[in-house]
Amino acid sequence: MAGPGAYWFGQEEIDAVMRVVQHGHLFRYGSEDDPNFLHTVATLEKEFAKYCGVKFGLATSSGTSSLIASLAGLGLKPGDEVIVPAYTFVASYTSCIFMGLIPVLAEIDESLTLDPNDIEHRITPRTKAIMPVHMLGNSCDMDRIMAIAKKHNLLVLEDCCQAAGASYKGKKVGTIGDMGAFSLNVFKTINSGDGGLVVTNDANFYEVAFGMHDHGHKPSRLGVEVGSRKMMGLNFRMNEITAAVALAQLGKIDKIIATLREKRSKLKKLIADAKDFKFRTLNDADGDCATLCTIIFNTREQAVKVSKALGSKTLDQSGWHVYANMEHVLAHLKKTGLPHVKGAYPKTDDILSRAMNISIGVVDGGLGAGWGININSSDEEIEKAAQQFIEACR
Ligand SMILES: *Cc1c(COP(=O)(O)O)cnc(C)c1O
């Protein structure tokens, strides 16, 4: 049960880790003259920024720390409101809450990402940012979201934790808004166990995000510059071993995505004629990670019947990816005076109650993707899964 990168661990990761361990230098900083200091974290940051086509990359300890560092980088202040979709992993909300920000939830549409039609009426004088989440490997409708952000002078932080390598109209996700936050945990496109990345083109956002991730230090510090720090920060640093694994995985990302797209299109073709459902809308079908194949049934009854028959579940049951299942977040929203009961986002509730995920590359029961194929599935296995799905739909 993991993401596609985990299925493709091999000699490359082993060699990269061994090299770091043999040199004995595991901390991200070191002396330029030390031959044992391999700059692996710094290299990952440069390579990932290059891969995304942006100026700055920052490696962190997790997707959650990437979100927190980015929210700090954008200069958001306690009491500011951030518009976030009602369908996302719990960390999209908690990162805001721990920064003193107020997550204001909005509906999703049939792409299972933030519904651009449900943003504007949620904007108040306190709204400072939108956090579109590229759920399940495909991008949000970024043209419309960016237009709304521009009109209302809002910042945009893309939560790309489920979509490393995805693009929107030729641009990598994370590079369309002001900042992008990525996760390298085991369920994502590529992984290093845990870990995260931040990207941006803005030097100031980068510098503050860097400071947040490392006790207020400036980027590329060599020592401790006492007296010159303008801000406080925490420790969200990545270490050299983690970066070695992440770099080896980054080397495989394009092949991973190409393989998943091929397998998913095979599966999609085979099940296309089964009745009473449609595939979720893809805001950019060519830029999709194809980690999942999301089905939206016409009725709740059909969704329950099919997912049960396959030993899976509908997406409204997918734990801490659905606002209605997050009792602690709901309790917090209640205290803040915001909608806090199941049913507060009826469009999201309806879509999720009729949706199911078929795993293609991300095999994760927690995401409602415990059934399907994986990146190593043969044609025969894909045909067998398709047959089972068609049977279950009858
Ligand atoms: C996984 C995920 C996160 C958090 O990433 P971690 O690395 O687990 O901290 C945040 N947002 C979304 C949408 C995610 O899927």
Side-chain angles (χ1 to χ4, degrees), residues 61-67 88-92 133-135 159-162 182-185 187-188 194-196 321 367:
S61 52
S62 71
T64 308
S65 21
S66 291
L67 286 170
T88 182
F89 183 60
V90 63
S92 308
V133 184
H134 305 301
M135 278 302 273
D159 180 338
C160 311
C161 288
Q162 295 192 10
F182 294 82
S183 166
L184 295 169
N185 94 19
F187 297 107
K188 316 300 183 177
D194 260 316
H321 296 93
L367 193 58

Side-chain angles (χ1 to χ4, degrees), residues 60-82:
T60 70
S61 52
S62 71
T64 308
S65 21
S66 291
L67 286 170
I68 293 176
S70 301
L71 293 167
L74 293 175
L76 300 177
K77 297 281 175 297
D80 289 349
E81 293 178 3
V82 182

Side-chain angles (χ1 to χ4, degrees), residues 197-214:
L197 288 154
V198 175
V199 295
T200 183
N201 271 313
D202 186 291
N204 185 47
F205 294 160
Y206 165 66
E207 201 166 299
V208 179
F210 192 99
M212 184 70 206
H213 119 290
D214 187 16

Side-chain angles (χ1 to χ4, degrees), residues 250-268:
L250 183 59
K252 301 177 180 181
I253 191 168
D254 285 337
K255 183 116 186 278
I256 285 173
I257 291 175
T259 305
L260 294 178
R261 284 180 185 160
E262 194 191 307
K263 292 193 195 273
R264 190 180 61 179
S265 86
K266 267 186 199 140
L267 183 81
K268 261 184 143 174

Side-chain angles (χ1 to χ4, degrees), residues 156-192:
V156 175
L157 166 57
E158 296 172 65
D159 180 338
C160 311
C161 288
Q162 295 192 10
S167 58
Y168 176 76
K169 301 195 174 172
K171 277 183 142 181
K172 284 279 186 301
V173 297
T175 70
I176 302 151
D178 297 285
M179 297 189 91
F182 294 82
S183 166
L184 295 169
N185 94 19
V186 68
F187 297 107
K188 316 300 183 177
T189 327
I190 55 170
N191 94 90
S192 53

